[in-house]
Structure formats: C-alpha cells, structure tokens
Amino acid sequence: FVARTMSFGAGKRDAYMVVTNPNGGILSTGTFGSTEDDWIEEIVQFDDYYYLVGESNSFGSGDNDVYLIKQHK
C-alpha cells in the first residue's frame, strides 16, 4: 500500500510505500519524493515490478507533474 508521510523522507510530503506478505508482515518500506509535495495515487503490478503513479511538485516543469516510479518487487 502507499500513503503520504510528513514524518520522514526528503521533503514536505513524500510518498510512503509498504510491501507486506499475505499475513500482513512487513517485507519492505520506502519513501519517494524530494523537497516539495509528492504523492502516489495508483499502484500497478506487472511481472516483477510495481509501477507507482502519482503527482509531483518536486520534479518536472511545474506543479502537479506526472510522477512515475518503477520499483522492483
């Protein structure tokens, strides 16, 4: 699952991803983003990767640019 965090990460609000096993045990966690607000709205699983799709105010040419992350499982 993904959420937003202001407690840790690189900026104001960063995307926070948690991967769990079928029993709910945490397998891995990570934050994504930079100095401004960044967030994820969708997760797509394909083969051995998760594709995280959201918006970024840290990257791109202005506010609310498309933010796409390819994350290995």
Side-chain angles (χ1 to χ4, degrees):
F1 65 89
V2 292
R4 296 182 203 177
T5 180
M6 293 177 67
S7 300
F8 49 93
K12 295 178 181 177
R13 289 186 178 100
D14 289 319
Y16 178 56
M17 180 178 177
V18 178
V19 179
T20 65
N21 64 26
N23 296 323
I26 295 175
L27 300 176
S28 65
T29 65
T31 59
F32 304 94
S34 192
T35 57
E36 298 298 325
D37 292 337
D38 305 292
W39 61 96
I40 301 300
E41 296 177 0
E42 297 287 334
I43 304 172
V44 178
Q45 182 180 335
F46 187 74
D47 291 335
D48 290 337
Y49 294 93
Y50 296 111
Y51 293 87
L52 312 176
V53 183
E55 296 181 40
S56 174
N57 291 334
S58 296
F59 306 107
S61 62
D63 288 342
N64 301 337
D65 291 307
V66 172
Y67 192 27
L68 176 65
I69 302 165
K70 180 180 177 183
Q71 181 72 28
H72 196 271
K73 288 184 184 178

